Amino acid sequence: MARNIAVAGKGGTGKTTFAALLIRYLLEKGKKSILAVDADPNANLNEALGIPVSNFVADILEEAKDSKGVPPGMTKDMFIEYKLAQALVETERLDLLVMGRPQGPGCYCYPNDILRKHLETLSRNYQYVVIDSEAGLEHISRRIIQGVEFLFVLSDATIRGIRSAGRVRQLVEELQLPIPHMLLVVTRVQGSLNGLVPEIERTGLPLAGTISFDPLVVEYDALGRPLFDLPSSSLAVRETQRILEGLAL
Ligand SMILES: Nc1ncnc2c1ncn2[C@@H]1O[C@H](COP(=O)(O)OP(=O)(O)OP(=O)(O)O)[C@@H](O)[C@H]1O
Ligand SMILES: [Mg+2]
């Protein structure tokens, strides 16, 4: 069974950067089979990883709402399964599945059921599944992604970011999602966190660590260079590593 690690938080807090550097850390530790799932509607994990993607799960589910296009001799279930299998991007270092933009109105219970089963079966092939999610935890809250062991809730060093992280924790509690380890990571930190400490305590989330503002991350993003290629000396790489080394991953 794969170990599921999810990253969530308010928009623009550094989720994708952290998810990419987390994957890099796992690979550097010699973990060989990793599935990255971009479950953020504003998908860009593939860019951070430097992997081109052309098939999005959301589009497959949208098409699956009607039976058009199902080839003769194939059931609708088989057809959806086949399409979902095509959405998986396989590379030498890791595989990637991109959920894509949010679904429109209409009933998705049936395709979501198939997606849930598909992910369950697919994840058996991996040691780790790393999920780049959004604050609403769409796929996790609808139990399409199940069994998350670690949830990193990211925030920038602002009161709003930290409050939003607190709401992610509340959501997990309200939905009674069984996530054993929920941890706060504050990113893009410049200076001290002192003023934020009471707000951090209010979230009830243990602080796993902080990641400093790293000009190299900005530079790589500006140039569209994969964060995978950041030098090992980069602040963000080293501090992500320090956070993860303290955990039983
Ligand atoms: N440690 C860091 N130092 C400096 N800039 C950073 C750092 N981490 C992330 N950034 C910058 O902050 C911006 C947002 O980062 P990122 O895309 O990782 O966040 P996100 O939470 O995934 O955003 P979105 O919600 O848009 O998907 C990017 O421009 C990125 O370059
Ligand atoms: Mg992102």
Side-chain angles (χ1 to χ4, degrees):
M1 203 50 203
R3 298 179 68 184
N4 291 350
I5 307 172
V7 183
K10 194 167 86 62
T13 47
K15 298 179 292 288
T16 300
T17 305
F18 185 78
L21 296 181
L22 164 63
I23 291 167
R24 171 171 163 161
Y25 170 84
L26 292 173
L27 289 170
E28 281 172 2
K29 285 278 158 201
K31 315 291 185 190
K32 292 224 161 44
S33 62
I34 300 173
L35 171 66
V37 177
D38 193 340
D40 189 336
N42 176 22
N44 56 6
L45 180 62
N46 69 305
E47 284 159 23
L49 299 172
I51 303 174
V53 173
S54 49
N55 288 321
F56 300 91
V57 168
D59 298 341
I60 295 166
L61 299 190
E62 183 66 43
E63 278 174 37
K65 281 202 300 181
D66 56 48
S67 294
K68 272 189 261 158
V70 179
M74 242 189 189
T75 65
K76 192 169 163 184
D77 283 25
M78 278 160 73
F79 187 56
I80 301 172
E81 283 274 5
Y82 161 77
K83 293 287 241 183
L84 287 174
Q86 282 187 328
L88 183 73
V89 186
E90 292 168 293
T91 76
E92 233 170 70
R93 289 192 288 192
L94 74 153
D95 295 350
L96 172 68
L97 192 66
V98 182
M99 296 298 185
R101 62 177 166 66
Q103 301 164 1
C107 181
Y108 286 88
C109 302
Y110 163 72
N112 275 343
D113 248 20
I114 297 182
L115 175 60
R116 181 178 301 116
K117 284 186 200 128
H118 177 75
L119 282 177
E120 230 177 80
T121 315
L122 184 65
S123 65
R124 288 194 200 120
N125 303 330
Y126 300 91
Q127 214 179 342
Y128 289 89
V129 177
V130 177
I131 305 133
D132 183 1
S133 191
E134 26 68 82
L137 301 175
E138 160 130 340
H139 298 89
I140 297 171
S141 67
R142 287 192 286 117
R143 268 99 169 156
I144 291 170
I145 295 168
Q146 307 199 59
V148 173
E149 182 184 343
F150 280 90
L151 174 63
F152 291 98
V153 187
L154 265 63
S155 172
D156 48 15
T158 65
I159 297 269
R160 271 187 292 152
I162 303 286
R163 284 190 185 148
S164 177
R167 284 193 292 274
V168 173
R169 174 173 172 255
Q170 278 168 12
L171 178 66
V172 169
E173 277 175 13
E174 279 162 28
L175 297 171
Q176 300 184 332
L177 298 170
I179 301 179
H181 307 288
M182 247 191 293
L183 302 161
L184 178 69
V185 175
V186 183
T187 64
R188 283 191 294 176
V189 176
Q190 288 176 291
S192 100
L193 277 188
N194 288 347
L196 289 173
V197 170
E199 207 58 50
I200 290 175
E201 283 172 355
R202 230 166 275 148
T203 65
L205 290 165
L207 180 65
T210 59
I211 300 173
S212 309
F213 181 90
D214 182 348
L216 265 185
V217 171
V218 179
E219 188 185 316
Y220 271 57
D221 265 349
L223 299 172
R225 288 178 73 177
L227 299 171
F228 246 36
D229 302 340
L230 279 169
S232 322
S233 57
S234 119
L235 267 179
V237 172
R238 280 190 292 148
E239 290 174 350
T240 304
Q241 187 179 354
R242 200 177 58 207
I243 290 171
L244 299 174
E245 258 161 5
L247 305 169
L249 281 176

